[in-house]
Amino acid sequence: MRAVIVAIGVAFLVSLFCTPIAIKVFTRLKAGQPIRAEGPQMHQGKKGTPTMGGVVFILATVIAYVAGHLALTTLPDAQIAQVEPTITALVLLGLMVFAGAVGFIDDFLKVRKRHSGGLSARGKLLGQILVGAVFGVVALWFPSTMTDATGAETNTETVGSTTLSFIRDIPALDVTKIGAVIIFIFVVMAATNGVNLTDGLDGLATGASVMVLGAYAVIAFWQYRHWCADPAYTANPNNYCYTVRDPLEIALIAGAAAGACVGFLWWNTSPARIFMGDTGALGLGGLIAGMAMSTRTILLLPIIGGLFVIITMSVVIQIISFKTTGKRVFRMSPLQHHFELAGWSEVNIVVRFWIIAGIGVAIALGLFYSDFLANMG
């Protein structure tokens, strides 16, 4: 727990105090956010606000991960099985950094062209597929070689699983390694685009991401406290344990990312002084996808990230309706813009959407804990 708290604190402070520096740097570089002409007219006043702020909280998360590991070295020997950096961290941080890099290219092109059209849809899609494929392969083909104090292997799990999962792996739904990678690519695409579509109002995607990442920190730490690789815990055959890899790493990174987003939210809330841009949205989406895979909760993700699903579906419904009937279901999509045009204030929309995000997270955590209680009984 100490390492997780240290990581959260360091990430929060780095993000809180480095974001104003980023604001000044991006303003000086004229890296302002172009605003779509066809978007809500009230957004035109945001034109020129510095973008690419995701660079700050991605960097803060990486720094906090290192700080968390330094804190781990102070723990008793029996508790430091995960002091050395792991493949799990490589996968999770790699997803965040490289998905964020795809978004950075998109943001850079927007700023350079002074136009809201950056990287082409095909280019962005290919980038997401490549990132998902590379880290999906790493997650499925590199098992752990962790050892306990006696030198015996304590956990030979891979980061991902070949079976679909809800609260845990569902053995009957084995999709093979290739199938698992394909599914993970889809999850990366869904999560990155979901966060990106939600990032339309000041603080909306940032606040929702804090809740989702916080939920994954809780799930991963609970798995760590009830881990099948912990001989002290599994000594009692009645104890229910989780077959995952490096849950403390997952909790540390999820907590660090959540803390970094809270620090960034200080400056990103209405009226935003900086936007996360596609850099931040795609980086967060990639990390959230990795969290679902590494905690073996792939099918729980649509509930944890319920707000992202709702907003994404509003876009899908709008497109299908317009192409098939020529009519629009919403005044504008994504959904948050529909309510803007209906006369809701930006702050009202953000707070109410945060409530929806919180409800999804609460339901997911309730299902997770209920499953634990059922198995312990």
Side-chain angles (χ1 to χ4, degrees):
M1 176 61 83
R2 184 190 309 173
V4 176
I5 292 174
V6 168
I8 293 172
V10 169
F12 170 74
L13 293 174
V14 170
S15 188
L16 179 67
F17 291 109
C18 287
T19 300
I21 298 173
I23 293 172
K24 292 179 181 178
V25 171
F26 290 142
T27 300
R28 190 173 302 162
L29 294 175
K30 297 181 179 180
Q33 175 70 45
I35 303 297
R36 292 185 305 158
E38 63 272 20
Q41 288 304 305
M42 60 281 288
H43 284 203
Q44 295 304 316
K46 300 181 180 184
K47 186 176 182 180
T49 302
T51 188
M52 297 189 283
V55 169
V56 178
F57 58 72
I58 291 174
L59 180 61
T61 301
V62 174
I63 292 172
Y65 170 75
V66 175
H69 265 266
L70 291 176
L72 279 174
T73 61
T74 66
L75 296 176
D77 289 344
Q79 301 181 46
I80 59 173
Q82 294 181 288
V83 168
E84 296 298 324
T86 63
I87 291 292
T88 302
L90 172 67
V91 170
L92 295 178
L93 294 176
L95 283 165
M96 189 180 199
V97 170
F98 285 95
V102 175
F104 181 85
I105 295 171
D106 185 46
D107 286 333
F108 177 78
L109 292 176
K110 289 177 183 177
V111 170
R112 185 177 181 183
K113 296 176 182 178
R114 298 289 189 266
H115 189 272
S116 60
L119 189 63
S120 68
R122 179 178 296 179
K124 193 181 296 185
L125 184 65
L126 288 174
Q128 293 166 342
I129 291 173
L130 180 61
V131 170
V134 169
F135 289 102
V137 168
V138 174
L140 268 298
W141 265 269
F142 291 85
S144 171
T145 55
M146 287 172 50
T147 57
D148 60 20
T150 66
E153 289 192 357
T154 59
N155 184 17
T156 56
E157 291 292 321
T158 52
V159 179
S161 172
T162 61
T163 65
L164 287 179
S165 56
F166 180 51
I167 305 297
R168 57 187 183 278
D169 282 337
I170 306 171
L173 299 180
D174 193 314
V175 295
T176 74
K177 287 185 177 181
I178 298 296
V181 171
I182 293 172
I183 290 172
F184 182 62
I185 291 172
F186 173 78
V187 173
V188 169
M189 292 167 58
T192 52
N193 286 304
V195 178
N196 199 20
L197 290 171
T198 304
D199 183 34
L201 299 181
D202 296 352
L204 177 56
T206 310
S209 296
V210 169
M211 297 182 209
V212 171
L213 291 166
Y216 276 119
V218 171
I219 288 172
F221 192 77
W222 188 261
Q223 291 175 332
Y224 172 66
R225 298 294 294 177
H226 307 86
W227 192 20
C228 293
D230 181 357
Y233 179 74
T234 55
N236 183 347
N238 294 320
N239 285 343
Y240 176 68
C241 66
Y242 294 92
T243 306
V244 294
R245 175 172 176 175
D246 309 322
L248 185 59
E249 287 278 79
I250 303 168
L252 193 154
I253 293 170
C261 284
V262 172
F264 181 76
L265 185 60
W266 183 274
W267 307 100
N268 180 236
T269 193
S270 183
R273 293 185 57 189
I274 188 169
F275 299 140
M276 69 166 69
D278 279 21
T279 305
L282 269 60
L284 288 173
L287 178 60
I288 289 170
M291 289 290 161
M293 172 179 64
S294 58
T295 57
R296 312 293 171 86
T297 55
I298 289 285
L299 298 179
L300 190 64
L301 176 57
I303 301 176
I304 294 180
L307 178 65
F308 301 141
V309 174
I310 291 169
I311 288 177
T312 301
M313 289 309 299
S314 74
V315 176
V316 173
I317 291 170
Q318 186 86 322
I319 292 173
I320 292 175
S321 177
F322 187 75
K323 288 190 174 182
T324 56
T325 68
K327 297 180 180 180
R328 293 180 172 86
V329 176
F330 307 103
R331 289 180 172 92
M332 183 178 289
S333 65
L335 188 60
Q336 60 268 32
H337 299 321
H338 167 83
F339 290 105
E340 277 191 293
L341 296 181
W344 291 24
S345 71
E346 182 170 4
V347 172
N348 260 340
I349 298 168
V350 170
V351 171
R352 288 169 180 173
F353 277 37
W354 280 352
I355 292 172
I356 294 171
I359 291 171
V361 164
I363 292 172
L365 289 176
L367 290 171
F368 181 83
Y369 187 61
S370 296
D371 174 80
F372 176 79
L373 291 180
N375 281 281
M376 283 295 286

